[in-house]
Amino acid sequence: MSYDPSPSYRHGPPPPPYDPPPYDPPPYDPSPYGPPSHSTPPYAPPPRTGHRAPRRDPLGHHSDLRVLRSAYRRQRRTATLAALGYFTLFLILSAYAPGVMTGTAAGGLPTGLLLALVQLPVTCLAIALYEYTARRRVDPLADRIRKEAELDARREAGR
């Protein structure tokens, strides 16, 4: 078999690649927008009055918010580790201890199937733990911060 150097297309060479013309944007003309409608920029602060507000930290830097965030973080970690920890244990036993998973438990039920069926109650327990810690630790902090924010908003509206 010999090599045929002729091109495989019969109707002539392919067209050259597309090279778009250079883009020349039109010049900027600010005149259609007209003069500004205000004398000061819209982001200028309001004029100062003689009344000074009491100095307080903004709500975002409040220590209660830090406590709330850490309590919420602890709550999420506990519930997640409970559910995912059991699932990870199930996967590790399935991969590295097949003898344990194929062994029989009570009533001739395979251990792997029993552990898989127990996973649903463990997940429900993790959800119950999450709700319990939310009601006990996180919700009271959130309610207290919400009430303080409402009081701050009422004070600001009264000025």
Side-chain angles (χ1 to χ4, degrees), residues 24-47:
D24 188 21
Y28 175 70
D29 184 19
S31 62
Y33 301 111
S37 61
H38 43 35
S39 60
T40 61
Y43 52 82

Side-chain angles (χ1 to χ4, degrees), residues 60-131:
H61 299 289
H62 204 270
S63 64
D64 284 344
L65 283 179
R66 276 183 263 136
V67 172
L68 178 65
R69 279 192 299 265
S70 65
Y72 182 59
R73 195 177 304 123
R74 190 178 320 115
Q75 173 196 17
R76 285 187 318 220
R77 285 181 186 156
T78 304
T80 303
L81 288 176
L84 288 181
Y86 182 81
F87 182 68
T88 304
L89 175 70
F90 178 75
L91 288 179
I92 289 172
L93 284 175
S94 297
Y96 296 109
V100 173
M101 298 300 275
T102 57
T104 57
L109 193 64
T111 310
L113 181 61
L114 182 66
L115 289 175
L117 293 174
V118 170
Q119 188 171 353
L120 183 65
V122 167
T123 304
C124 292
L125 181 68
I127 292 170
L129 178 68
Y130 185 86
E131 290 177 354

